[in-house]
Amino acid sequence: MTTHADFSHTETIHDLLIIGGGINGAGIARDAAGRGLKVMLVEKDDLASHTSSASTKLIHGGLRYLEYYEFRLVREALNERERLLKIAPHIIWPMRFILPHSAMLRPAWLLRTGLFLYDNLCRTMTLPKTRSLRLQDEAAGRVLRPDYVRGFEYSDGWVQDSRLVVLNAQDAARRGATICTRTRLISAERHQSHWVAILEDTLTGETRQVTARALINAAGPWVAELLQDRLSIESRHHVRLVKGSHIVVPRQFNTEQAYILQNPDKRIVFAIPYEKDFTLIGTTDIPWDQDPGSVTISADEIAYLCESVNRYFKRAITPQDVVWSYAGVRPLYDDHSGSASAVTRDYRLDIDHSAAPVLSVFGGKITTYRKLAEHALEKLAPHLKGLTTISWTADAPLPGGDFQRTDFDRYVASLQRRVAGLSQQTATRLVRNYGTLVETVMLPIETGGASLGARIGADLHEGEVDYLMTHEWARSAEDILWRRSKLGLRFSSEDITKLQDYMACRLQQNAAGQETDDKEVA
């Protein structure tokens, strides 16, 4: 599997050229490759570098969207939640949420009605349904301030968002797609039957020309800019950029449940158990009109999130408690709503087929990415010969997800038996990341067992780094520490330097090996 663009190959004609390596681009690439199309996906940075790694990490229907009468979106999202829980049980798992009732905000009857709909809009729901709580009678309620008396507990799902992107790309590559990271679209010339695009390797500056019968613009926050500046096409739709920021603090509560907190401004904030020792808090909704690639949390947003949590929990937090923060720009479909919070999370697919077709993706949410991909290919089907209309992704496991959720602990125990000295915590993390592919992360040893290789930092070892570089397009320490994992929360500056040095050495070795292979072929 290539780790970046290979600019040495001769010209081939692709059916689809996909611009954007976020969840929508990767999801479409996987679906299209599985239907027999020749697919190329290009991403100017790393996979999931921007919006798709800056989410609240939830696979959910969107309880609050019911307040805006988005019943179709919520139903679709809830159905997708069930499907994704089955096809990716390693990186997606159920979570229970506590919703405290505040007498100053939405009335209890309204919350109860909304949760009843939430439980019943999906006819195939397998997760436990909502129950009413007397908060001070529950361990999960006693961490809240005593003036919160009533509440509700309901189900949703949690996801390792950037790994979801990578696994879709990985499956697309297995099915024949070409995945090129660190590759930028310079320009694209439109003809009646095809596009001719110029791509640039952002690491070397090399350029390459590719031809594709159709182009998909899944550039996220850059979707409108790409249409206008690179493709010279006037868009019929617009995006509304909204910044969402999150903070991570040391673990604030010892319960397994997450919390959904209502604020006086009618927004909601989640407080979620995160990476065992931390709590994830977010998100904000701030209109954004600057560069989507340069976005950070503001002091006001940190104060807002701290205040939101302190309104509910006995244990208060301050900005000084923040150990990490991240921010991303959500490219929402502009439905001309008044506030950022009210803008729809639904998506629009705009196809221009006045010549060679281009399909642009506006909006969307991570939960509905698979359905979005199906809809995108349905729109393109009349314009692409050989595209089968048979959908297949609803039941096909993502890489490593071919096991039952009930077998998770068995895989962890099996891994511990095979690798001497492996802790349960490390084994659990590895199975969470790789599922049944965890065996390919191991390095075989002569005694018939397996090893992870030398330790680099925290519980990251050389074997895992080799795997991520070879099979998951990891090229930098940031790729591994903040997208393929969240081990950056546990790495010291010395550990980071050690990882950077190891990866640089491996890249040099790979480059030298490639040069040798090229000479032998010549």
Side-chain angles (χ1 to χ4, degrees):
M1 184 178 294
T2 58
T3 57
H4 62 101
D6 184 348
F7 288 81
S8 62
H9 290 176
T10 58
E11 177 69 11
T12 57
I13 299 177
H14 295 83
D15 295 306
L16 280 184
L17 173 61
I18 301 172
I19 313 300
I23 188 58
N24 291 329
I28 294 171
R30 179 195 186 218
D31 196 344
R35 299 191 197 207
L37 294 186
K38 188 170 184 60
V39 176
M40 173 181 279
L41 179 147
V42 298
E43 162 57 47
K44 63 187 179 66
D45 298 307
D46 182 31
L47 295 170
S49 282
H50 301 287
T51 305
S52 294
S53 60
S55 77
T56 313
K57 326 297 182 192
L58 298 180
I59 294 294
H60 65 145
L63 177 61
R64 73 180 184 87
Y65 306 152
L66 293 174
E67 201 164 27
Y68 300 104
Y69 308 108
E70 298 248 29
F71 299 115
R72 188 210 62 79
L73 173 61
V74 174
R75 181 185 292 110
E76 179 174 283
L78 289 172
N79 286 329
E80 287 302 295
R81 183 186 69 186
E82 290 294 320
R83 294 186 178 105
L84 297 179
L85 283 165
K86 291 176 182 176
I87 68 173
H90 47 332
I91 63 165
I92 302 174
W93 58 94
M95 185 174 283
R96 294 287 278 176
F97 288 76
I98 303 296
L99 170 56
H101 171 244
S102 171
M104 298 176 63
L105 301 173
R106 298 167 179 88
W109 69 264
L110 182 62
L111 297 178
R112 192 183 302 110
T113 301
L115 287 164
F116 175 81
L117 287 171
Y118 203 65
D119 283 344
N120 289 280
L121 280 171
C122 175
R123 294 180 180 178
T124 60
M125 178 171 170
T126 59
L127 301 182
K129 294 197 173 185
T130 299
R131 68 186 187 105
S132 298
L133 304 176
R134 291 177 60 87
L135 292 171
Q136 298 308 312
D137 293 341
E138 305 277 342
R142 287 192 289 271
V143 300
L144 299 170
R145 289 166 50 178
D147 41 325
Y148 295 100
V149 177
R150 302 175 61 189
F152 304 91
E153 184 183 52
Y154 71 95
S155 294
D156 253 326
W158 169 263
V159 63
Q160 297 187 71
D161 53 4
S162 49
R163 289 208 58 73
L164 182 64
V165 177
V166 170
L167 294 185
N168 273 273
Q170 191 177 49
D171 203 27
R174 288 178 171 184
R175 298 173 189 275
T178 301
I179 308 296
C180 299
T181 62
R182 272 81 178 186
T183 303
R184 185 166 67 97
L185 176 73
I186 299 296
S187 63
E189 181 179 323
R190 192 181 199 184
H191 300 266
Q192 192 59 38
S193 62
H194 62 277
W195 288 87
V196 177
I198 304 299
L199 307 178
E200 178 188 47
D201 184 322
T202 62
L203 298 178
T204 66
E206 276 189 88
T207 60
R208 174 187 178 187
Q209 178 178 294
V210 299
T211 302
R213 295 185 174 90
L215 192 148
I216 290 184
N217 174 10
W222 294 273
V223 61
E225 175 190 322
L226 188 144
L227 267 177
Q228 180 175 322
D229 297 346
R230 308 290 172 86
L231 307 182
S232 301
I233 294 175
E234 190 69 30
S235 174
R236 292 172 291 188
H237 301 293
H238 301 281
V239 289
R240 191 159 166 183
L241 301 182
V242 176
K243 182 174 74 161
S245 299
H246 298 75
I247 58 174
V248 174
V249 298
R251 186 157 187 169
Q252 294 300 106
F253 43 84
N254 292 319
T255 62
E256 295 180 352
Q257 295 95 328
Y259 296 81
I260 175 171
L261 312 173
Q262 304 176 83
N263 287 321
D265 60 3
K266 295 296 182 73
R267 290 214 67 259
I268 57 100
V269 165
F270 291 97
I272 304 172
Y274 191 63
E275 297 293 316
K276 190 175 184 292
D277 298 318
F278 304 93
T279 299
L280 173 65
I281 300 166
T283 179
T284 57
D285 270 332
I286 308 293
W288 190 254
D289 59 5
Q290 302 174 47
D291 178 12
S294 301
V295 54
T296 57
I297 194 169
S298 68
D300 286 345
E301 287 177 287
I302 293 176
Y304 174 86
L305 294 174
C306 289
E307 182 181 338
S308 298
V309 168
N310 294 342
R311 189 176 289 115
Y312 285 87
F313 287 91
K314 292 177 180 176
R315 182 179 177 182
I317 61 171
T318 69
Q320 287 68 43
D321 292 314
V322 176
V323 298
W324 182 52
S325 66
Y326 63 91
V329 175
R330 297 188 288 273
L332 305 180
Y333 170 70
D334 190 357
D335 61 357
H336 307 292
S337 295
S339 70
S341 297
V343 179
T344 183
R345 268 52 175 178
D346 210 347
Y347 55 85
R348 294 290 186 276
L349 303 175
D350 182 29
I351 185 167
D352 182 322
H353 52 82
S354 55
V358 53
L359 183 142
S360 298
V361 179
F362 292 85
K365 59 198 297 282
I366 196 165
T367 306
T368 54
Y369 86 89
R370 193 203 63 83
K371 198 67 177 176
L372 182 153
E374 284 188 345
H375 288 159
L377 293 178
E378 286 172 9
K379 281 185 170 287
L380 282 170
H383 311 286
L384 287 175
K385 294 179 181 179
L387 172 62
T388 172
T389 57
I390 299 174
S391 59
W392 63 277
T393 57
D395 301 310
L398 284 166
D402 51 336
F403 68 96
Q404 296 295 317
R405 190 175 307 283
T406 52
D407 290 335
F408 184 89
D409 291 341
R410 181 173 64 83
Y411 274 103
V412 172
S414 173
L415 190 60
Q416 283 188 274
R417 286 194 298 271
R418 288 197 61 218
V419 182
L422 189 66
S423 70
Q424 183 177 17
Q425 180 176 335
T426 299
T428 299
R429 183 185 69 80
L430 290 171
V431 178
R432 272 277 173 244
N433 276 11
Y434 308 108
T436 57
L437 291 180
V438 72
E439 298 296 331
T440 61
V441 178
M442 302 295 113
L443 302 174
I445 55 179
E446 293 180 0
T447 58
S451 167
L452 283 168
R455 175 181 170 276
I456 294 176
D459 64 354
L460 181 69
H461 295 72
E462 291 179 353
E464 187 175 359
V465 175
D466 292 349
Y467 174 86
L468 292 172
M469 295 180 71
T470 303
H471 298 284
E472 293 195 6
W473 300 276
R475 300 296 302 280
S476 71
E478 182 181 359
D479 295 350
I480 290 177
L481 297 179
W482 295 111
R483 283 184 286 276
R484 306 308 184 278
S485 75
K486 291 297 180 286
L487 290 172
L489 289 166
R490 307 180 190 280
F491 257 53
S492 67
S493 57
E494 291 80 7
D495 293 336
I496 293 172
T497 299
K498 188 176 179 181
L499 175 59
Q500 290 171 332
D501 291 345
Y502 179 79
M503 295 181 73
C505 181
R506 286 305 310 271
L507 288 169
Q508 289 175 357
Q509 291 173 351
N510 292 342
Q514 183 64 51
E515 287 181 7
T516 300
D517 292 343
D518 291 343
K519 289 178 181 178
E520 290 177 354
V521 170

